[in-house]
Amino acid sequence: MDTLCIEGLTKKFGAHTVLDEISFTVPEHSVFGFLGQNGAGKTTTMKLILGLLKADGGQIRVLGEPVTYGQTKTNRLVGYLPDVPEFYGYMKPAEYLKLCGEIAGLSKKEIARRSEELLHLVGLEEARKKISGFSRGMKQRLGITQALLTRPKLLICDEPTSALDPVGRRELLNILHQVREQTTVLFSTHILSDAEQICDRIAVLHQGNLALCGELSRIKAQKSANALFVSFASAADVSELTASPYLLPYCSQIEVQGSCLTIRSTDIKPVQQAVLSALYGKGLFPLKMEIQEPTLEGIFMEAIQ
Amino acid sequence: MNDYIEYLPFLIPLIILEIALALTALVHVLRHPHYRFGNRVLWVLVVMFIQILGPVVYFAFGRGEE
Amino acid sequence: MNGFIAFTKKELCESLRTYKLIILGIVFLLLGIMSPLTAKLMPELIGSFLPEGMTMSIAEPTAMDSWMQFFKNVPQIGLVVTVILFSAMISGELSRGTLVNVLTKGLCRSSVILAKFLAALLTFTAAYVLCFAACLGYTVLYWHDPVSLLPLAVFALWAFGILLIASLLLGGVLFRSGYGALLFTGGFTVCLFLLNFFPQVQKFSPLRLAADNVSLLSGELAASDFAIPFVICGLLLIVFLWAAVSLFNRKQI
């Protein structure tokens, strides 16, 4: 069964439509990257899943159970890390986790065990001071601890890496990668390399619609054709190459930039063959020749055009 | 002189409580450098010299985020 | 229920660690000591204001005077301080977003309001009991004349304080800001005062619970005169809490 299923979700703030009938599903044990520019509606979607905002249309199901606004029963299945997690500053981490655990109805023993385990996972086991003295990165890590405390079936993280330094980011991505065995992760980000590293599925939100959605590997395979990149010492070589009859069938796909050229194609092998024949025929020697894989950035930019 | 002795049972706890209140607030003002408005000097004066209401106003409105 | 208890504990912990409890306790204790002191000092104070050579016979203070001061100081200073200290109960959490974590842990929204109410009620009650105990102690020590219906008068003022706390919660949910909650409670109190200009309303107004306590002690009013105000106060309390809970249920956080 899909962990999360969203159908025709619509949300308006006044006259402004933030989400316009978006639909997608998140299968179990996947890491789902939710991409989009700032203000695209990522946080709004997440708050709708958590029942913190009221939807203007559509339905959200968590493990088959519909999400209701206000009294949100499905939240027992969900762990949430807000973009800027806020805590009660006068508490210590262990006290805060105890409060969360008691609210969720965990036993005393379970709370103590889980707290210790998770604080160790995020490297906060030595932090015994009050939360008010925590740095932004420490708060983020405590945030993930409280989100995972109840062993949620779905972990929702809102821009978990945006406030962290490179080391902290690396650590957080590792944690998300580690927990995928136990849970399903939905996380939003505008940092594409983060998504590329750990996601197996992505959705791109743009102007209230899903510009793209699906498995990352499949999107990469079908979206934005592969390209062959060739560079020469001089621009004259480039024009000589493009004049070759071998390249005639591909002339519409050739892009020339100074002393380099790029040929885009869904099927790269015949292109390679043609280019090599042309080079051989003309007696040209390139400086460099390589096949360019599509990047998430390229896909993203293409999707939001 | 007799008059004062008669009031001592009132005055001693009153003075102790007033000082406790002012000191609690003063320690907080000095240990937390961020205020929602005003500055340290202002709040030190307020909690020291405005009886009862000074510390209350500080804790209700003046203290910054934890 | 788990959530309610846990959140009430959190609120009490907050009262303690953000100094609310200690400030409120000290202020009320001060009021409890000041009231009999002022009663005792009154003749001398008046005497010192009289011009030289003029004499005036001033009655010796009694236990009644001490309680008159109590029922003047507690509403005028004690309740004001209580309302100020609790004004940010809801708005503080909403503006900082601290509720997001606990609500997504499955805490019932009504539990948030009711736990805050219970914790504020306990804090206020503790301070009020201190104040009453101090005043009672000094009064019994210095004067021996009996005062009738004192428990009812003291309970009435307590009930009014609780009503104000409930109105603060409703104000906080309505306006999302501490000042908004303060204005709401202030406005509510001003309305009660304005309505009191009509003598017919006075008999029903819950304001009587905080304003006419001395009349009860002096015998001008009977205990039965407080029955309707008590009922109205209870009804208003329920309405305020119900409104706060149902509005909060619909609030986008």
Side-chain angles (χ1 to χ4, degrees), chain C residues 132-153:
Chain C
F132 171 69
C135 190
L136 184 70
Y138 279 106
T139 309
V140 169
L141 211 65
Y142 283 87
W143 298 283
H144 302 289
D145 50 317
V147 174
S148 60
L149 289 176
L150 183 61
L152 180 66

mmCIF file with all atom_site columns, all heavy atoms in Angstrom, chain C residues 132-153:
data_model
loop_
_atom_site.group_PDB
_atom_site.id
_atom_site.type_symbol
_atom_site.label_atom_id
_atom_site.label_alt_id
_atom_site.label_comp_id
_atom_site.label_asym_id
_atom_site.label_entity_id
_atom_site.label_seq_id
_atom_site.pdbx_PDB_ins_code
_atom_site.Cartn_x
_atom_site.Cartn_y
_atom_site.Cartn_z
_atom_site.occupancy
_atom_site.B_iso_or_equiv
_atom_site.pdbx_formal_charge
_atom_site.auth_seq_id
_atom_site.auth_comp_id
_atom_site.auth_asym_id
_atom_site.auth_atom_id
_atom_site.pdbx_PDB_model_num
ATOM 1   N N   . PHE C 1 132 ? -4.371  34.765 51.064 1.00 0.00 ? 132 PHE C N   1
ATOM 2   C CA  . PHE C 1 132 ? -5.441  34.660 52.049 1.00 0.00 ? 132 PHE C CA  1
ATOM 3   C C   . PHE C 1 132 ? -4.885  34.205 53.390 1.00 0.00 ? 132 PHE C C   1
ATOM 4   O O   . PHE C 1 132 ? -5.210  34.758 54.444 1.00 0.00 ? 132 PHE C O   1
ATOM 5   C CB  . PHE C 1 132 ? -6.513  33.685 51.543 1.00 0.00 ? 132 PHE C CB  1
ATOM 6   C CG  . PHE C 1 132 ? -7.545  33.348 52.564 1.00 0.00 ? 132 PHE C CG  1
ATOM 7   C CD1 . PHE C 1 132 ? -8.452  34.310 52.989 1.00 0.00 ? 132 PHE C CD1 1
ATOM 8   C CD2 . PHE C 1 132 ? -7.616  32.071 53.113 1.00 0.00 ? 132 PHE C CD2 1
ATOM 9   C CE1 . PHE C 1 132 ? -9.409  34.003 53.949 1.00 0.00 ? 132 PHE C CE1 1
ATOM 10  C CE2 . PHE C 1 132 ? -8.560  31.770 54.072 1.00 0.00 ? 132 PHE C CE2 1
ATOM 11  C CZ  . PHE C 1 132 ? -9.459  32.734 54.493 1.00 0.00 ? 132 PHE C CZ  1
ATOM 12  N N   . ALA C 1 133 ? -4.001  33.197 53.357 1.00 0.00 ? 133 ALA C N   1
ATOM 13  C CA  . ALA C 1 133 ? -3.454  32.657 54.594 1.00 0.00 ? 133 ALA C CA  1
ATOM 14  C C   . ALA C 1 133 ? -2.682  33.747 55.351 1.00 0.00 ? 133 ALA C C   1
ATOM 15  O O   . ALA C 1 133 ? -2.819  33.884 56.571 1.00 0.00 ? 133 ALA C O   1
ATOM 16  C CB  . ALA C 1 133 ? -2.549  31.475 54.301 1.00 0.00 ? 133 ALA C CB  1
ATOM 17  N N   . ALA C 1 134 ? -1.887  34.537 54.625 1.00 0.00 ? 134 ALA C N   1
ATOM 18  C CA  . ALA C 1 134 ? -1.109  35.589 55.277 1.00 0.00 ? 134 ALA C CA  1
ATOM 19  C C   . ALA C 1 134 ? -2.045  36.615 55.914 1.00 0.00 ? 134 ALA C C   1
ATOM 20  O O   . ALA C 1 134 ? -1.876  37.006 57.080 1.00 0.00 ? 134 ALA C O   1
ATOM 21  C CB  . ALA C 1 134 ? -0.199  36.266 54.261 1.00 0.00 ? 134 ALA C CB  1
ATOM 22  N N   . CYS C 1 135 ? -3.029  37.038 55.156 1.00 0.00 ? 135 CYS C N   1
ATOM 23  C CA  . CYS C 1 135 ? -3.951  38.055 55.659 1.00 0.00 ? 135 CYS C CA  1
ATOM 24  C C   . CYS C 1 135 ? -4.722  37.521 56.870 1.00 0.00 ? 135 CYS C C   1
ATOM 25  O O   . CYS C 1 135 ? -4.883  38.203 57.868 1.00 0.00 ? 135 CYS C O   1
ATOM 26  C CB  . CYS C 1 135 ? -4.912  38.465 54.537 1.00 0.00 ? 135 CYS C CB  1
ATOM 27  S SG  . CYS C 1 135 ? -5.893  39.900 54.956 1.00 0.00 ? 135 CYS C SG  1
ATOM 28  N N   . LEU C 1 136 ? -5.167  36.276 56.746 1.00 0.00 ? 136 LEU C N   1
ATOM 29  C CA  . LEU C 1 136 ? -5.919  35.664 57.851 1.00 0.00 ? 136 LEU C CA  1
ATOM 30  C C   . LEU C 1 136 ? -5.053  35.574 59.102 1.00 0.00 ? 136 LEU C C   1
ATOM 31  O O   . LEU C 1 136 ? -5.481  35.928 60.204 1.00 0.00 ? 136 LEU C O   1
ATOM 32  C CB  . LEU C 1 136 ? -6.396  34.270 57.427 1.00 0.00 ? 136 LEU C CB  1
ATOM 33  C CG  . LEU C 1 136 ? -7.271  33.527 58.440 1.00 0.00 ? 136 LEU C CG  1
ATOM 34  C CD1 . LEU C 1 136 ? -8.640  34.197 58.535 1.00 0.00 ? 136 LEU C CD1 1
ATOM 35  C CD2 . LEU C 1 136 ? -7.422  32.058 58.066 1.00 0.00 ? 136 LEU C CD2 1
ATOM 36  N N   . GLY C 1 137 ? -3.801  35.134 58.899 1.00 0.00 ? 137 GLY C N   1
ATOM 37  C CA  . GLY C 1 137 ? -2.893  34.986 60.023 1.00 0.00 ? 137 GLY C CA  1
ATOM 38  C C   . GLY C 1 137 ? -2.727  36.289 60.790 1.00 0.00 ? 137 GLY C C   1
ATOM 39  O O   . GLY C 1 137 ? -2.948  36.341 62.011 1.00 0.00 ? 137 GLY C O   1
ATOM 40  N N   . TYR C 1 138 ? -2.380  37.353 60.102 1.00 0.00 ? 138 TYR C N   1
ATOM 41  C CA  . TYR C 1 138 ? -2.177  38.647 60.761 1.00 0.00 ? 138 TYR C CA  1
ATOM 42  C C   . TYR C 1 138 ? -3.467  39.150 61.385 1.00 0.00 ? 138 TYR C C   1
ATOM 43  O O   . TYR C 1 138 ? -3.468  39.690 62.488 1.00 0.00 ? 138 TYR C O   1
ATOM 44  C CB  . TYR C 1 138 ? -1.652  39.673 59.756 1.00 0.00 ? 138 TYR C CB  1
ATOM 45  C CG  . TYR C 1 138 ? -0.171  39.554 59.517 1.00 0.00 ? 138 TYR C CG  1
ATOM 46  C CD1 . TYR C 1 138 ? 0.317   39.011 58.349 1.00 0.00 ? 138 TYR C CD1 1
ATOM 47  C CD2 . TYR C 1 138 ? 0.739   40.000 60.478 1.00 0.00 ? 138 TYR C CD2 1
ATOM 48  C CE1 . TYR C 1 138 ? 1.675   38.896 58.120 1.00 0.00 ? 138 TYR C CE1 1
ATOM 49  C CE2 . TYR C 1 138 ? 2.096   39.894 60.257 1.00 0.00 ? 138 TYR C CE2 1
ATOM 50  C CZ  . TYR C 1 138 ? 2.569   39.340 59.090 1.00 0.00 ? 138 TYR C CZ  1
ATOM 51  O OH  . TYR C 1 138 ? 3.910   39.223 58.889 1.00 0.00 ? 138 TYR C OH  1
ATOM 52  N N   . THR C 1 139 ? -4.566  38.996 60.660 1.00 0.00 ? 139 THR C N   1
ATOM 53  C CA  . THR C 1 139 ? -5.827  39.524 61.157 1.00 0.00 ? 139 THR C CA  1
ATOM 54  C C   . THR C 1 139 ? -6.234  38.831 62.456 1.00 0.00 ? 139 THR C C   1
ATOM 55  O O   . THR C 1 139 ? -6.629  39.482 63.431 1.00 0.00 ? 139 THR C O   1
ATOM 56  C CB  . THR C 1 139 ? -6.926  39.346 60.085 1.00 0.00 ? 139 THR C CB  1
ATOM 57  O OG1 . THR C 1 139 ? -6.442  39.883 58.864 1.00 0.00 ? 139 THR C OG1 1
ATOM 58  C CG2 . THR C 1 139 ? -8.195  40.072 60.476 1.00 0.00 ? 139 THR C CG2 1
ATOM 59  N N   . VAL C 1 140 ? -6.093  37.521 62.480 1.00 0.00 ? 140 VAL C N   1
ATOM 60  C CA  . VAL C 1 140 ? -6.458  36.768 63.687 1.00 0.00 ? 140 VAL C CA  1
ATOM 61  C C   . VAL C 1 140 ? -5.523  37.141 64.833 1.00 0.00 ? 140 VAL C C   1
ATOM 62  O O   . VAL C 1 140 ? -5.928  37.233 65.986 1.00 0.00 ? 140 VAL C O   1
ATOM 63  C CB  . VAL C 1 140 ? -6.425  35.249 63.404 1.00 0.00 ? 140 VAL C CB  1
ATOM 64  C CG1 . VAL C 1 140 ? -6.532  34.461 64.690 1.00 0.00 ? 140 VAL C CG1 1
ATOM 65  C CG2 . VAL C 1 140 ? -7.531  34.873 62.448 1.00 0.00 ? 140 VAL C CG2 1
ATOM 66  N N   . LEU C 1 141 ? -4.257  37.401 64.483 1.00 0.00 ? 141 LEU C N   1
ATOM 67  C CA  . LEU C 1 141 ? -3.258  37.726 65.502 1.00 0.00 ? 141 LEU C CA  1
ATOM 68  C C   . LEU C 1 141 ? -3.552  39.077 66.159 1.00 0.00 ? 141 LEU C C   1
ATOM 69  O O   . LEU C 1 141 ? -3.381  39.250 67.363 1.00 0.00 ? 141 LEU C O   1
ATOM 70  C CB  . LEU C 1 141 ? -1.889  37.766 64.830 1.00 0.00 ? 141 LEU C CB  1
ATOM 71  C CG  . LEU C 1 141 ? -0.698  37.358 65.675 1.00 0.00 ? 141 LEU C CG  1
ATOM 72  C CD1 . LEU C 1 141 ? -0.806  35.892 66.045 1.00 0.00 ? 141 LEU C CD1 1
ATOM 73  C CD2 . LEU C 1 141 ? 0.589   37.621 64.885 1.00 0.00 ? 141 LEU C CD2 1
ATOM 74  N N   . TYR C 1 142 ? -3.994  40.046 65.386 1.00 0.00 ? 142 TYR C N   1
ATOM 75  C CA  . TYR C 1 142 ? -4.129  41.409 65.914 1.00 0.00 ? 142 TYR C CA  1
ATOM 76  C C   . TYR C 1 142 ? -5.536  41.774 66.351 1.00 0.00 ? 142 TYR C C   1
ATOM 77  O O   . TYR C 1 142 ? -5.722  42.670 67.160 1.00 0.00 ? 142 TYR C O   1
ATOM 78  C CB  . TYR C 1 142 ? -3.627  42.416 64.874 1.00 0.00 ? 142 TYR C CB  1
ATOM 79  C CG  . TYR C 1 142 ? -2.133  42.470 64.829 1.00 0.00 ? 142 TYR C CG  1
ATOM 80  C CD1 . TYR C 1 142 ? -1.421  41.594 64.023 1.00 0.00 ? 142 TYR C CD1 1
ATOM 81  C CD2 . TYR C 1 142 ? -1.413  43.374 65.627 1.00 0.00 ? 142 TYR C CD2 1
ATOM 82  C CE1 . TYR C 1 142 ? -0.045  41.604 63.985 1.00 0.00 ? 142 TYR C CE1 1
ATOM 83  C CE2 . TYR C 1 142 ? -0.038  43.393 65.599 1.00 0.00 ? 142 TYR C CE2 1
ATOM 84  C CZ  . TYR C 1 142 ? 0.649   42.523 64.787 1.00 0.00 ? 142 TYR C CZ  1
ATOM 85  O OH  . TYR C 1 142 ? 2.006   42.536 64.767 1.00 0.00 ? 142 TYR C OH  1
ATOM 86  N N   . TRP C 1 143 ? -6.507  41.156 65.728 1.00 0.00 ? 143 TRP C N   1
ATOM 87  C CA  . TRP C 1 143 ? -7.876  41.505 66.092 1.00 0.00 ? 143 TRP C CA  1
ATOM 88  C C   . TRP C 1 143 ? -8.646  40.241 66.408 1.00 0.00 ? 143 TRP C C   1
ATOM 89  O O   . TRP C 1 143 ? -8.390  39.187 65.826 1.00 0.00 ? 143 TRP C O   1
ATOM 90  C CB  . TRP C 1 143 ? -8.567  42.236 64.924 1.00 0.00 ? 143 TRP C CB  1
ATOM 91  C CG  . TRP C 1 143 ? -7.893  43.523 64.582 1.00 0.00 ? 143 TRP C CG  1
ATOM 92  C CD1 . TRP C 1 143 ? -7.984  44.698 65.270 1.00 0.00 ? 143 TRP C CD1 1
ATOM 93  C CD2 . TRP C 1 143 ? -7.053  43.756 63.458 1.00 0.00 ? 143 TRP C CD2 1
ATOM 94  N NE1 . TRP C 1 143 ? -7.233  45.669 64.651 1.00 0.00 ? 143 TRP C NE1 1
ATOM 95  C CE2 . TRP C 1 143 ? -6.638  45.120 63.527 1.00 0.00 ? 143 TRP C CE2 1
ATOM 96  C CE3 . TRP C 1 143 ? -6.584  42.975 62.405 1.00 0.00 ? 143 TRP C CE3 1
ATOM 97  C CZ2 . TRP C 1 143 ? -5.801  45.691 62.586 1.00 0.00 ? 143 TRP C CZ2 1
ATOM 98  C CZ3 . TRP C 1 143 ? -5.758  43.551 61.476 1.00 0.00 ? 143 TRP C CZ3 1
ATOM 99  C CH2 . TRP C 1 143 ? -5.362  44.891 61.562 1.00 0.00 ? 143 TRP C CH2 1
ATOM 100 N N   . HIS C 1 144 ? -9.590  40.383 67.278 1.00 0.00 ? 144 HIS C N   1
ATOM 101 C CA  . HIS C 1 144 ? -10.302 39.175 67.686 1.00 0.00 ? 144 HIS C CA  1
ATOM 102 C C   . HIS C 1 144 ? -11.770 39.197 67.311 1.00 0.00 ? 144 HIS C C   1
ATOM 103 O O   . HIS C 1 144 ? -12.477 38.230 67.527 1.00 0.00 ? 144 HIS C O   1
ATOM 104 C CB  . HIS C 1 144 ? -10.125 38.939 69.188 1.00 0.00 ? 144 HIS C CB  1
ATOM 105 C CG  . HIS C 1 144 ? -8.680  38.827 69.561 1.00 0.00 ? 144 HIS C CG  1
ATOM 106 N ND1 . HIS C 1 144 ? -7.907  37.733 69.222 1.00 0.00 ? 144 HIS C ND1 1
ATOM 107 C CD2 . HIS C 1 144 ? -7.830  39.697 70.185 1.00 0.00 ? 144 HIS C CD2 1
ATOM 108 C CE1 . HIS C 1 144 ? -6.669  37.923 69.626 1.00 0.00 ? 144 HIS C CE1 1
ATOM 109 N NE2 . HIS C 1 144 ? -6.583  39.118 70.207 1.00 0.00 ? 144 HIS C NE2 1
ATOM 110 N N   . ASP C 1 145 ? -12.214 40.302 66.746 1.00 0.00 ? 145 ASP C N   1
ATOM 111 C CA  . ASP C 1 145 ? -13.641 40.342 66.422 1.00 0.00 ? 145 ASP C CA  1
ATOM 112 C C   . ASP C 1 145 ? -13.945 39.439 65.232 1.00 0.00 ? 145 ASP C C   1
ATOM 113 O O   . ASP C 1 145 ? -13.184 39.370 64.274 1.00 0.00 ? 145 ASP C O   1
ATOM 114 C CB  . ASP C 1 145 ? -14.105 41.780 66.149 1.00 0.00 ? 145 ASP C CB  1
ATOM 115 C CG  . ASP C 1 145 ? -13.204 42.478 65.151 1.00 0.00 ? 145 ASP C CG  1
ATOM 116 O OD1 . ASP C 1 145 ? -11.972 42.328 65.273 1.00 0.00 ? 145 ASP C OD1 1
ATOM 117 O OD2 . ASP C 1 145 ? -13.720 43.142 64.244 1.00 0.00 ? 145 ASP C OD2 1
ATOM 118 N N   . PRO C 1 146 ? -15.041 38.725 65.296 1.00 0.00 ? 146 PRO C N   1
ATOM 119 C CA  . PRO C 1 146 ? -15.356 37.771 64.238 1.00 0.00 ? 146 PRO C CA  1
ATOM 120 C C   . PRO C 1 146 ? -15.897 38.467 62.984 1.00 0.00 ? 146 PRO C C   1
ATOM 121 O O   . PRO C 1 146 ? -16.490 39.538 63.065 1.00 0.00 ? 146 PRO C O   1
ATOM 122 C CB  . PRO C 1 146 ? -16.430 36.886 64.879 1.00 0.00 ? 146 PRO C CB  1
ATOM 123 C CG  . PRO C 1 146 ? -17.090 37.776 65.879 1.00 0.00 ? 146 PRO C CG  1
ATOM 124 C CD  . PRO C 1 146 ? -16.054 38.763 66.351 1.00 0.00 ? 146 PRO C CD  1
ATOM 125 N N   . VAL C 1 147 ? -15.646 37.866 61.861 1.00 0.00 ? 147 VAL C N   1
ATOM 126 C CA  . VAL C 1 147 ? -16.188 38.376 60.601 1.00 0.00 ? 147 VAL C CA  1
ATOM 127 C C   . VAL C 1 147 ? -17.018 37.246 59.988 1.00 0.00 ? 147 VAL C C   1
ATOM 128 O O   . VAL C 1 147 ? -16.533 36.135 59.818 1.00 0.00 ? 147 VAL C O   1
ATOM 129 C CB  . VAL C 1 147 ? -15.051 38.761 59.639 1.00 0.00 ? 147 VAL C CB  1
ATOM 130 C CG1 . VAL C 1 147 ? -15.613 39.155 58.291 1.00 0.00 ? 147 VAL C CG1 1
ATOM 131 C CG2 . VAL C 1 147 ? -14.236 39.901 60.230 1.00 0.00 ? 147 VAL C CG2 1
ATOM 132 N N   . SER C 1 148 ? -18.268 37.561 59.680 1.00 0.00 ? 148 SER C N   1
ATOM 133 C CA  . SER C 1 148 ? -19.134 36.494 59.175 1.00 0.00 ? 148 SER C CA  1
ATOM 134 C C   . SER C 1 148 ? -19.003 36.372 57.655 1.00 0.00 ? 148 SER C C   1
ATOM 135 O O   . SER C 1 148 ? -18.597 37.309 56.977 1.00 0.00 ? 148 SER C O   1
ATOM 136 C CB  . SER C 1 148 ? -20.586 36.784 59.547 1.00 0.00 ? 148 SER C CB  1
ATOM 137 O OG  . SER C 1 148 ? -20.956 38.016 58.965 1.00 0.00 ? 148 SER C OG  1
ATOM 138 N N   . LEU C 1 149 ? -19.339 35.208 57.146 1.00 0.00 ? 149 LEU C N   1
ATOM 139 C CA  . LEU C 1 149 ? -19.400 34.932 55.703 1.00 0.00 ? 149 LEU C CA  1
ATOM 140 C C   . LEU C 1 149 ? -18.065 35.145 54.980 1.00 0.00 ? 149 LEU C C   1
ATOM 141 O O   . LEU C 1 149 ? -18.029 35.332 53.775 1.00 0.00 ? 149 LEU C O   1
ATOM 142 C CB  . LEU C 1 149 ? -20.469 35.799 55.035 1.00 0.00 ? 149 LEU C CB  1
ATOM 143 C CG  . LEU C 1 149 ? -21.908 35.417 55.358 1.00 0.00 ? 149 LEU C CG  1
ATOM 144 C CD1 . LEU C 1 149 ? -22.867 36.415 54.724 1.00 0.00 ? 149 LEU C CD1 1
ATOM 145 C CD2 . LEU C 1 149 ? -22.226 34.010 54.892 1.00 0.00 ? 149 LEU C CD2 1
ATOM 146 N N   . LEU C 1 150 ? -16.970 35.132 55.738 1.00 0.00 ? 150 LEU C N   1
ATOM 147 C CA  . LEU C 1 150 ? -15.671 35.354 55.101 1.00 0.00 ? 150 LEU C CA  1
ATOM 148 C C   . LEU C 1 150 ? -15.347 34.308 54.030 1.00 0.00 ? 150 LEU C C   1
ATOM 149 O O   . LEU C 1 150 ? -14.924 34.666 52.920 1.00 0.00 ? 150 LEU C O   1
ATOM 150 C CB  . LEU C 1 150 ? -14.577 35.392 56.177 1.00 0.00 ? 150 LEU C CB  1
ATOM 151 C CG  . LEU C 1 150 ? -13.173 35.687 55.650 1.00 0.00 ? 150 LEU C CG  1
ATOM 152 C CD1 . LEU C 1 150 ? -13.115 37.046 54.984 1.00 0.00 ? 150 LEU C CD1 1
ATOM 153 C CD2 . LEU C 1 150 ? -12.150 35.618 56.777 1.00 0.00 ? 150 LEU C CD2 1
ATOM 154 N N   . PRO C 1 151 ? -15.565 33.004 54.318 1.00 0.00 ? 151 PRO C N   1
ATOM 155 C CA  . PRO C 1 151 ? -15.218 32.009 53.287 1.00 0.00 ? 151 PRO C CA  1
ATOM 156 C C   . PRO C 1 151 ? -15.939 32.264 51.970 1.00 0.00 ? 151 PRO C C   1
ATOM 157 O O   . PRO C 1 151 ? -15.327 32.164 50.889 1.00 0.00 ? 151 PRO C O   1
ATOM 158 C CB  . PRO C 1 151 ? -15.663 30.679 53.911 1.00 0.00 ? 151 PRO C CB  1
ATOM 159 C CG  . PRO C 1 151 ? -15.657 30.926 55.370 1.00 0.00 ? 151 PRO C CG  1
ATOM 160 C CD  . PRO C 1 151 ? -16.028 32.363 55.556 1.00 0.00 ? 151 PRO C CD  1
ATOM 161 N N   . LEU C 1 152 ? -17.213 32.641 52.042 1.00 0.00 ? 152 LEU C N   1
ATOM 162 C CA  . LEU C 1 152 ? -17.965 32.878 50.807 1.00 0.00 ? 152 LEU C CA  1
ATOM 163 C C   . LEU C 1 152 ? -17.377 34.065 50.042 1.00 0.00 ? 152 LEU C C   1
ATOM 164 O O   . LEU C 1 152 ? -17.196 34.007 48.825 1.00 0.00 ? 152 LEU C O   1
ATOM 165 C CB  . LEU C 1 152 ? -19.442 33.134 51.138 1.00 0.00 ? 152 LEU C CB  1
ATOM 166 C CG  . LEU C 1 152 ? -20.315 33.403 49.908 1.00 0.00 ? 152 LEU C CG  1
ATOM 167 C CD1 . LEU C 1 152 ? -20.394 32.165 49.036 1.00 0.00 ? 152 LEU C CD1 1
ATOM 168 C CD2 . LEU C 1 152 ? -21.714 33.862 50.314 1.00 0.00 ? 152 LEU C CD2 1
ATOM 169 N N   . ALA C 1 153 ? -17.062 35.149 50.782 1.00 0.00 ? 153 ALA C N   1
ATOM 170 C CA  . ALA C 1 153 ? -16.517 36.341 50.134 1.00 0.00 ? 153 ALA C CA  1
ATOM 171 C C   . ALA C 1 153 ? -15.188 36.025 49.458 1.00 0.00 ? 153 ALA C C   1
ATOM 172 O O   . ALA C 1 153 ? -14.922 36.465 48.335 1.00 0.00 ? 153 ALA C O   1
ATOM 173 C CB  . ALA C 1 153 ? -16.335 37.454 51.163 1.00 0.00 ? 153 ALA C CB  1
#
